[in-house]
Amino acid sequence: MHCSSPKMVCETKIVADEHDAIPGTKKDSIIVSSSQMWTSTPAPVTGALESKEPRGDAVFIREFERADHGEVRRIFCEGIMERIPNTAFRGLRHQNQTQFLYAMLTLMCYMVTNSLALTCCTPFLLMGARYYYSRKVILGYLDCALHTDMADIEAYYMKPAGSCFWVAMLEGRIVGIVAAQGREDDNTVELRRMSVDSRYRGKGIAKALGRRVLEFAVLNNYSAVVLGTTAVKLAAHKLYESLGFRHAGESQDHTLPGTPRSTLQSLFFQIRYHRYRLQLHEE
């Protein structure tokens, strides 16, 4: 299967609490100082330098290793699959035109059939169609991602200069992932593929991963950090704002990579694509 490299579409599941310095494996002395740009409480530099080993209850972020691929793939797939019901049902609340269209279809069903029973079934049939097309589109997007950057993380993120991929460790397990992909054309870095294991949400992992990308951007002298998201839950957007991102626009009917459009798909699957930007310094 041939698929163009997909734009970042991420859905962060938690809004995390503030944390001190993020332990890591490289450039700790620099990272601790830069992380204070986004923490409300200054991080103790000496403590971070004295111990490279994370405490059992502390989130430890390190660079991706080849042996991590199985767990990284699992967390990524789990996060993507959760979008199926979110997009099909939760996302409908923000689509006023679609709600009106479904109401008109239900009314037309009664006018044509004069059957109250069939009319009452119409909303359930419409929701079933939304779930079917949400599953079809998102599985197509997932397959595309698994055949591009998520198929060879080292080639896409670890080898190119100005890009990187990290995993979050907690209690000896990989519990979260995030990537940064540099753009030479406008000197920005894109935050991509952020996802947290569903069993470990609410522990500050997403915010710690986000900070690591911001630190990486500062260390590599990028002018801004950008991201795009189709997240439906408000928590994801509040997380980006808490990290300093500002909403930079949205498109109402976004097409996911690897998912060809059709008339029925347009009727039963709509998704908003939000763009965020954090300006670090002017060019």
Side-chain angles (χ1 to χ4, degrees):
M1 174 178 179
H2 296 285
C3 216
S4 58
S5 179
K7 293 182 179 179
M8 187 273 179
V9 183
C10 67
E11 181 172 1
T12 308
K13 303 297 181 184
I14 59 175
V15 176
D17 297 327
E18 294 291 334
H19 283 268
D20 290 333
I22 306 167
T25 55
K26 293 186 179 182
K27 303 179 181 178
D28 283 304
S29 60
I30 301 176
I31 287 174
V32 170
S33 61
S34 64
S35 69
Q36 295 176 19
M37 295 175 62
W38 297 282
T39 53
S40 59
T41 304
V45 177
T46 55
L49 295 177
E50 286 173 0
S51 176
K52 300 285 185 179
E53 294 298 324
R55 302 189 310 272
D57 59 346
V59 178
F60 176 74
I61 297 178
R62 61 168 175 79
E63 293 182 3
F64 171 85
E65 298 173 358
R66 185 173 298 180
D68 302 332
H69 191 266
E71 277 297 286
V72 167
R73 182 186 177 101
R74 179 189 66 79
I75 292 172
F76 174 72
C77 291
E78 177 188 84
I80 296 297
M81 292 298 293
E82 288 179 353
R83 295 186 207 170
I84 296 174
N86 285 340
T87 304
F89 307 127
R90 191 189 295 264
L92 183 60
R93 296 184 303 177
H94 308 289
Q95 299 166 4
N96 295 330
Q97 291 182 347
T98 303
Q99 291 179 36
F100 177 76
L101 176 61
Y102 290 175
M104 293 302 296
L105 289 173
T106 303
L107 180 61
M108 288 175 60
C109 177
Y110 179 74
M111 294 175 63
V112 171
T113 65
N114 201 29
S115 169
L116 184 61
L118 186 58
T119 302
C120 291
C121 291
T122 300
F124 296 99
L125 294 174
L126 292 171
M127 291 302 99
R130 282 186 65 86
Y131 184 86
Y132 170 80
Y133 278 99
S134 293
R135 179 178 175 82
K136 179 180 178 181
V137 172
I138 290 173
L139 285 178
Y141 167 72
L142 176 61
D143 184 68
C144 180
L146 293 176
H147 284 83
T148 53
D149 61 312
M150 296 305 291
D152 194 346
I153 293 172
E154 289 185 323
Y156 271 82
Y157 298 110
M158 303 308 295
K159 293 180 180 178
S163 298
C164 197
F165 196 104
W166 297 272
V167 298
M169 305 291 296
L170 182 65
E171 300 172 356
R173 298 173 178 268
I174 296 176
V175 296
I177 60 173
V178 73
Q181 188 169 47
R183 298 174 172 178
E184 294 183 357
D185 55 341
D186 58 359
N187 194 34
T188 63
V189 64
E190 183 180 11
L191 185 155
R192 308 189 70 194
R193 302 312 191 198
M194 182 187 287
S195 188
V196 176
D197 191 315
S198 60
R199 298 169 296 179
Y200 293 89
R201 292 170 188 160
K203 298 179 181 294
I205 298 168
K207 182 166 282 190
L209 289 165
R211 286 202 189 110
R212 178 48 57 93
V213 175
L214 303 187
E215 294 161 359
F216 178 81
V218 170
L219 291 172
N220 286 274
N221 200 34
Y222 283 109
S223 61
V225 184
V226 298
L227 66 87
T229 179
T230 58
V232 174
K233 292 184 178 179
L234 183 62
H237 299 274
K238 288 188 175 296
L239 171 65
Y240 305 139
E241 292 170 359
S242 73
L243 288 168
F245 286 91
R246 293 189 176 183
H247 194 258
E250 67 180 70
S251 57
Q252 294 292 330
D253 194 12
H254 180 66
T255 301
L256 294 174
T259 57
R261 300 289 294 187
S262 68
T263 303
L264 284 175
Q265 179 179 311
S266 299
L267 178 63
F268 294 111
F269 180 85
Q270 306 87 25
I271 193 167
R272 289 184 177 183
Y273 182 77
H274 298 265
R275 297 182 299 278
Y276 282 87
R277 183 181 183 94
L278 194 161
Q279 194 70 36
L280 300 176
H281 61 80
E282 298 296 333
E283 283 295 305

